[in-house]
Amino acid sequence: MQATESAEHRAEKHQEHGTDAGTEGKAAGHQGGTDDVDRFDFMVVSNRMPVDRCSPDEPGCEDGWRRSPGGLVTALAPMMTKTDGAWVGWHGAPDEHLEPFSHGGIDLIPVQLSTRDVELYYEGFSNATLWPLYHDVIAPPEFHRAWWDTYRKVNKRFADAVIRHAAEGATVWVQDYQLQLVPRMLREQRPDLKIGFFNHIPFPPPEIFAQLPWRRAIIDGLLGADLIGFQRSSDAGNFMRSARRFLGASVKQQQVHVKGADGQTTHIARAQAFPISIDVKQISELAQKPEVIERAKQIRRDLGNPKTILLGVDRLDYTKGIRHRLKAYEELLEDGKVTVEDASLIQVASPSRERVEQYRLLREEVEGTVGHINGTYDTMQNTAVRYLHHSYPIEEMVALYLAADVMLVTALRDGMNLVAKEYVTARTNNDGALVLSEFAGAADQLKQALLMNPHDIDGLKDTIMRAVNMEPAEAARRMRAMRKQILTNDVDLWSADFLRALQEKVVRDDS
Ligand code: F6P
């Protein structure tokens, strides 16, 4: 395979943009095309690319870039650093045009979004229509035709970037709810491509999905893919039921026979669960690094060496159940079951979607509650809740995981929740306790966690106390079993399983 531009040329071009393009031996995987662009045999497409624009004073910001937020990037970045291929995505800054470049060993193809696109496609349709609709309508979804029009237009822009850079017969893996129309757009213009789609968030039951005025177009968009992956089998089932109900699709077991305008089957789309995971090696290695272990001890010392440190780590999102967690913790302080001398709760809430109304309201509420709890229970020496509205580099996160005796994952609905998996992986001594919501996808795999319903505040309080008072032998037994599950199901296996299934020849099930 041959690059259409030499590595040197690309390096020169990208140096102009202040990036490390073309310097990391990633030219393999490109193929010559008729026009003057690099073409790739494998492409990942997601709304965000793995790095995001930042200002130098923000923690974790290096040379104007930091790791993008969210589970999607956590899961896919490790694979892409080891794979020849390109990642198509938005780099987080509106109105900035960038040429393709390379960063951290990954070839990146930026898609430009204007300020208005960000407002209508990203903040609007993706995060104020689809996000709440797909997460059990915890917040009311808004339906606006102008948002939908921009969603379609931006999906087309992502599809066009793929069409331009995909080699003949390439494999394209489209990611997440922001890009559900891309599979169909690709199939129409490039039937030579193998098209996979993975939904990182839940897929709602048809009774809720029914609210979406554009439900048929979304299902049709997804059915452009050969393989549609979901976190849980219940998500795959919800999708299949919606395909049958809203498109009248002929669904047999996990297959949909997709018909063209002439009524003939064009291809068979399959829907299946592929529970996502994390880079186990990276987290385990960090957890055993002397400087990370020392940093964990430092964190404990800084908090006054309490008997128990509890930890929550979330994007500041209303799906994460942060309010429920704080309510339960406040009541435990009130009941005297925990005291500020003996226990401290660290809540990392990384900034997210800050211009979306629901997120603004949530921030106000969470910060008001934290202020109230601390005002009531703090002493000169001790703080009840250490609240940190930042995102941190992975080394600091692992130090926090090591410092924490109890991890609280109280999501009201979550596709997977990789924080739960990271915590378990970091506990190389088999100690610590995980309190895990049954509404997080991770609950399907981490059955030895202390599973609970976060809406049941009394139940949540009891579960937190069980975790705080757990005997070391029971903690070790649970942690060992959970570690075994994760260590044998890391993210490399997840991507390999998905991509293997995508290449499988589908046997038509006409029974
Ligand atoms: O993992 C789910 C996800 O929604 C990703 O699609 C998204 O990139 C991430 O979480 C973080 O959200 P955002 O990109 O809106 O900051």
Side-chain angles (χ1 to χ4, degrees), residues 94-397:
D95 300 314
E96 184 186 23
H97 174 78
L98 291 178
E99 290 297 324
F101 64 104
S102 155
H103 190 281
I106 306 176
D107 282 312
L108 301 172
I109 300 174
V111 171
Q112 189 178 335
L113 296 186
S114 68
T115 301
R116 193 155 168 77
D117 293 334
V118 173
E119 237 170 75
L120 275 60
Y121 146 80
Y122 170 71
E123 293 166 352
F125 199 76
S126 297
N127 290 321
T129 303
L130 294 174
W131 182 268
L133 186 75
Y134 283 30
H135 285 89
D136 284 359
V137 293
I138 296 167
E142 289 182 47
F143 304 110
H144 299 293
R145 284 163 288 180
W147 292 2
W148 165 248
D149 288 343
T150 309
Y151 182 81
R152 266 200 327 216
K153 200 182 74 194
V154 173
N155 269 240
K156 177 78 172 57
R157 200 176 306 150
F158 277 84
D160 286 345
V162 174
I163 287 162
R164 186 165 151 78
H165 288 274
E168 177 71 22
T171 296
V172 181
W173 195 2
V174 185
Q175 311 288 327
D176 231 355
Y177 62 101
Q178 301 94 342
L179 300 177
Q180 293 172 101
L181 304 179
V182 171
R184 163 68 64 203
M185 290 169 172
L186 293 179
R187 182 163 299 273
E188 271 167 12
Q189 289 195 49
R190 290 288 303 270
D192 58 296
L193 301 175
K194 247 306 170 221
I195 306 165
F197 180 91
F198 188 80
N199 203 48
H200 291 253
I201 67 172
F203 196 88
E207 294 72 19
I208 288 181
F209 187 69
Q211 290 180 20
L212 187 68
W214 307 281
R215 59 199 187 188
R216 287 169 56 86
I218 293 283
I219 300 281
D220 182 60
L222 290 170
L223 286 176
D226 296 285
L227 179 63
I228 309 156
F230 295 93
Q231 301 281 24
R232 303 176 105 163
S233 38
S234 52
D235 298 319
N238 286 343
F239 171 73
M240 284 307 198
R241 289 195 291 135
S242 285
R244 189 187 287 130
R245 187 177 304 180
F246 302 119
L247 272 195
S250 119
V251 177
K252 291 205 178 103
Q253 293 177 359
Q254 294 181 321
Q255 302 180 355
V256 177
H257 294 232
V258 185
K259 307 255 193 296
D262 57 1
Q264 296 301 306
T265 300
T266 55
H267 68 288
I268 294 173
R270 286 164 295 151
Q272 216 176 302
F274 296 87
I276 204 166
S277 193
I278 54 161
D279 186 349
V280 166
K281 188 164 170 278
Q282 183 199 30
I283 304 289
S284 307
E285 282 175 6
L286 283 173
Q288 290 170 78
K289 266 191 161 179
E291 42 299 14
V292 176
I293 296 172
E294 185 43 44
R295 173 70 190 136
K297 288 187 184 143
Q298 180 67 45
I299 291 170
R300 289 195 79 97
R301 279 197 296 273
D302 289 349
L303 292 172
N305 268 324
K307 225 168 90 210
T308 310
I309 292 182
L310 302 100
L311 174 67
V313 174
D314 311 87
R315 275 187 312 100
L316 188 42
D317 194 297
Y318 52 80
T319 59
K320 304 290 183 183
I322 301 172
R323 286 177 294 202
H324 296 63
R325 188 181 312 165
L326 290 174
K327 180 156 187 54
Y329 198 67
E330 182 172 16
E331 287 190 18
L332 288 173
L333 285 162
E334 203 175 299
D335 300 346
K337 296 231 169 90
V338 294
T339 64
V340 287
E341 288 76 25
D342 278 353
S344 197
L345 169 61
I346 306 176
Q347 176 62 56
V348 176
S350 49
S352 188
R353 307 173 188 168
E354 292 189 288
R355 287 155 33 109
V356 177
E357 180 66 4
Q358 292 289 345
Y359 288 75
R360 252 189 286 204
L361 294 174
L362 175 72
R363 182 172 177 192
E364 272 174 32
E365 206 179 320
V366 165
E367 295 186 352
T369 307
V370 170
H372 176 76
I373 297 175
N374 286 344
T376 310
Y377 296 100
D378 279 9
T379 62
M380 285 297 177
Q381 292 83 32
N382 302 104
T383 292
V385 182
R386 189 60 62 101
Y387 170 77
L388 304 154
H389 185 241
H390 300 295
S391 37
Y392 291 100
I394 188 70
E395 292 76 9
E396 181 71 356
M397 295 313 305

